[in-house]
Amino acid sequence: MKTENFEWNGYKATVILPDKPNGKWIWKTEFLYAFDQAEQKLCEMGYTRVYYQVSDMYGSDRAVRLMHEFHKYVVQKYELEMKAILFGFSRGGLYAFNYALYYPEYVSKIYFDAPVLDLKTWPHYGSEEYNQFLKEYHLDEETHRTFQNSPIDNLKEFFDRNIPIFVVAGGSDEVVPFEKNSGALLKFARSHKIEVENIIKPTCGHHPHSLENVEPIVSFVEHK
C-alpha cells in the first residue's frame, strides 16, 4: 500500500494505492481517515482511496467544478475507472450529493453516512462554519431564510439519476438532525416507492459514524 499526498489546482489531495489495484476507487468527500474501517478493508481488496480537500465550501458550485476537474485528472493519472464510488460523511454528504446531481455519469454509487442534506439545519447559526457557508453561497442571514438549493430541495432530480445509494445514520442525531436530513431523504424515497438501502441506529447521535461491522458497507460497494 502506498500513500501519495500532493497539491492539485491549489488544494491538497491524497491518493492511497492498494498493493493490487483493481481500477475501482472510493472517493471520500470529507474526513478521509475518520471511521474508515470499511475503506481500509476495501483498499485491501484492491480499491484505490481518494480525497480532495476542497473543505469549507459546503458542496457549492465552485467545489463541484473543482471536484470534476480533479476527477478527470486522477482517472487518467492512476488508471482508474471513470465512475467513482462516493462516500459522503457528515458535511461530505453535501459534496457527494451535489457532485452526483451535476455529474451523474461519473458516479456509480454513493454511501451517505449521517449526511448534511439541509443547509437550514447545519451549519448552526452563528458558528464559524455558518459564516463560511453564507460567504461561499453569496447569502446573508435574510436570504438564507428563503434559500432553496439544499440537497433536500433537489431530491426528485437526484433520484431521477438512478444512482444506487446506501444510508447509515443515527436516529437520535441532533448535530445534523435526522428527521430533516437522512430521514427526509428516506421519507421521500418511501413516498415515491424508491428502494434505498439503509441502516438507522435508533439511539445513536451524530457519532460514531459507520458501523461496528462494516460488512454491509463492503457488500454495498461490491454489489454488482
Short mmCIF file of all heavy atoms in Angstrom, two decimals, residues 26 34 38 40 43 50 57-58 61 63 74 79 103 119 122 155 159 173:
data_model
loop_
_atom_site.label_atom_id
_atom_site.label_comp_id
_atom_site.label_asym_id
_atom_site.label_seq_id
_atom_site.Cartn_x
_atom_site.Cartn_y
_atom_site.Cartn_z
N ILE A 26 -12.69 4.55 -4.24
CA ILE A 26 -13.56 5.19 -3.25
C ILE A 26 -13.12 6.64 -3.11
O ILE A 26 -11.97 6.93 -2.78
CB ILE A 26 -13.43 4.50 -1.87
CG1 ILE A 26 -13.72 3.00 -1.97
CG2 ILE A 26 -14.33 5.20 -0.85
CD1 ILE A 26 -15.11 2.66 -2.37
N ALA A 34 -11.40 9.39 9.02
CA ALA A 34 -12.37 9.22 10.10
C ALA A 34 -13.26 8.01 9.86
O ALA A 34 -13.83 7.84 8.78
CB ALA A 34 -13.24 10.48 10.22
N ALA A 38 -14.20 0.52 6.82
CA ALA A 38 -14.68 -0.04 5.56
C ALA A 38 -13.73 0.28 4.42
O ALA A 38 -13.42 -0.58 3.58
CB ALA A 38 -16.08 0.49 5.25
N GLN A 40 -10.54 0.87 4.64
CA GLN A 40 -9.32 0.09 4.81
C GLN A 40 -9.50 -1.32 4.23
O GLN A 40 -8.63 -1.83 3.53
CB GLN A 40 -8.96 -0.01 6.30
CG GLN A 40 -8.48 1.29 6.91
CD GLN A 40 -8.12 1.12 8.38
OE1 GLN A 40 -7.59 0.08 8.79
NE2 GLN A 40 -8.41 2.12 9.19
N CYS A 43 -9.64 -1.20 0.47
CA CYS A 43 -8.31 -0.95 -0.09
C CYS A 43 -7.52 -2.26 -0.15
O CYS A 43 -6.81 -2.53 -1.13
CB CYS A 43 -7.57 0.10 0.73
SG CYS A 43 -6.11 0.78 -0.07
N VAL A 50 -9.34 7.90 -2.47
CA VAL A 50 -9.04 9.24 -2.99
C VAL A 50 -9.70 10.30 -2.11
O VAL A 50 -10.84 10.13 -1.65
CB VAL A 50 -9.53 9.37 -4.45
CG1 VAL A 50 -9.37 10.81 -4.94
CG2 VAL A 50 -8.79 8.40 -5.36
N MET A 57 -16.30 24.61 1.65
CA MET A 57 -17.08 25.12 0.51
C MET A 57 -18.51 24.58 0.54
O MET A 57 -19.34 25.00 -0.26
CB MET A 57 -16.41 24.74 -0.81
CG MET A 57 -15.05 25.38 -1.02
SD MET A 57 -14.41 25.02 -2.67
CE MET A 57 -12.70 25.52 -2.48
N TYR A 58 -18.76 23.62 1.40
CA TYR A 58 -20.12 23.15 1.68
C TYR A 58 -20.87 22.68 0.43
O TYR A 58 -22.06 22.92 0.27
CB TYR A 58 -20.90 24.24 2.43
CG TYR A 58 -20.15 24.68 3.67
CD1 TYR A 58 -19.25 25.76 3.63
CD2 TYR A 58 -20.26 23.97 4.86
CE1 TYR A 58 -18.51 26.11 4.75
CE2 TYR A 58 -19.53 24.32 5.98
CZ TYR A 58 -18.65 25.39 5.92
OH TYR A 58 -17.90 25.73 7.02
N ASP A 61 -21.28 25.21 -5.90
CA ASP A 61 -21.00 25.04 -7.32
C ASP A 61 -19.50 25.10 -7.59
O ASP A 61 -18.98 24.36 -8.43
CB ASP A 61 -21.71 26.12 -8.14
CG ASP A 61 -23.22 25.94 -8.16
OD1 ASP A 61 -23.70 24.85 -7.79
OD2 ASP A 61 -23.93 26.89 -8.57
N ALA A 63 -17.08 24.22 -5.57
CA ALA A 63 -16.50 22.96 -5.13
C ALA A 63 -16.74 21.85 -6.15
O ALA A 63 -15.84 21.07 -6.46
CB ALA A 63 -17.08 22.56 -3.77
N VAL A 74 -7.38 12.35 -11.78
CA VAL A 74 -6.98 11.10 -11.10
C VAL A 74 -7.33 9.88 -11.93
O VAL A 74 -6.62 8.86 -11.88
CB VAL A 74 -7.58 10.99 -9.68
CG1 VAL A 74 -6.99 12.06 -8.77
CG2 VAL A 74 -9.09 11.02 -9.67
N GLU A 79 -5.07 5.50 -13.70
CA GLU A 79 -5.72 4.46 -14.50
C GLU A 79 -6.91 3.85 -13.76
O GLU A 79 -7.03 2.63 -13.59
CB GLU A 79 -4.71 3.38 -14.90
CG GLU A 79 -3.56 3.92 -15.74
CD GLU A 79 -2.58 2.84 -16.16
OE1 GLU A 79 -2.61 1.74 -15.58
OE2 GLU A 79 -1.79 3.10 -17.09
N TYR A 103 -23.00 15.60 -12.11
CA TYR A 103 -22.17 14.71 -12.93
C TYR A 103 -22.53 13.24 -12.68
O TYR A 103 -21.67 12.43 -12.32
CB TYR A 103 -20.68 14.96 -12.63
CG TYR A 103 -20.22 16.34 -13.01
CD1 TYR A 103 -20.02 17.31 -12.04
CD2 TYR A 103 -19.99 16.68 -14.34
CE1 TYR A 103 -19.60 18.60 -12.38
CE2 TYR A 103 -19.56 17.95 -14.70
CZ TYR A 103 -19.38 18.91 -13.71
OH TYR A 103 -18.96 20.18 -14.06
N LEU A 119 -29.27 22.61 4.38
CA LEU A 119 -28.39 23.70 4.80
C LEU A 119 -29.11 24.75 5.66
O LEU A 119 -28.51 25.77 5.99
CB LEU A 119 -27.76 24.36 3.57
CG LEU A 119 -26.59 23.55 2.97
CD1 LEU A 119 -26.30 24.00 1.54
CD2 LEU A 119 -25.34 23.69 3.84
N TRP A 122 -27.89 22.84 9.30
CA TRP A 122 -26.44 22.85 9.56
C TRP A 122 -25.77 23.51 8.38
O TRP A 122 -26.18 23.26 7.23
CB TRP A 122 -25.88 21.43 9.74
CG TRP A 122 -24.47 21.45 10.26
CD1 TRP A 122 -24.09 21.38 11.57
CD2 TRP A 122 -23.27 21.59 9.49
NE1 TRP A 122 -22.72 21.48 11.65
CE2 TRP A 122 -22.19 21.61 10.38
CE3 TRP A 122 -23.00 21.73 8.13
CZ2 TRP A 122 -20.87 21.74 9.98
CZ3 TRP A 122 -21.68 21.87 7.70
CH2 TRP A 122 -20.63 21.87 8.63
N LEU A 155 -34.35 16.58 -4.32
CA LEU A 155 -34.42 15.12 -4.22
C LEU A 155 -35.00 14.48 -5.47
O LEU A 155 -34.53 13.41 -5.90
CB LEU A 155 -35.23 14.71 -2.99
CG LEU A 155 -34.55 14.96 -1.64
CD1 LEU A 155 -35.50 14.65 -0.50
CD2 LEU A 155 -33.27 14.13 -1.51
N PHE A 159 -32.93 11.65 -7.46
CA PHE A 159 -33.37 10.26 -7.62
C PHE A 159 -33.64 9.92 -9.08
O PHE A 159 -33.57 8.75 -9.46
CB PHE A 159 -34.58 9.98 -6.75
CG PHE A 159 -34.24 9.68 -5.31
CD1 PHE A 159 -34.59 10.57 -4.30
CD2 PHE A 159 -33.55 8.53 -4.98
CE1 PHE A 159 -34.27 10.30 -2.99
CE2 PHE A 159 -33.22 8.25 -3.66
CZ PHE A 159 -33.58 9.13 -2.66
N ASP A 173 -29.61 11.72 16.05
CA ASP A 173 -28.65 12.77 15.68
C ASP A 173 -29.27 14.14 15.86
O ASP A 173 -30.30 14.46 15.25
CB ASP A 173 -28.23 12.57 14.21
CG ASP A 173 -27.03 13.41 13.80
OD1 ASP A 173 -26.74 14.42 14.47
OD2 ASP A 173 -26.39 13.05 12.79
#
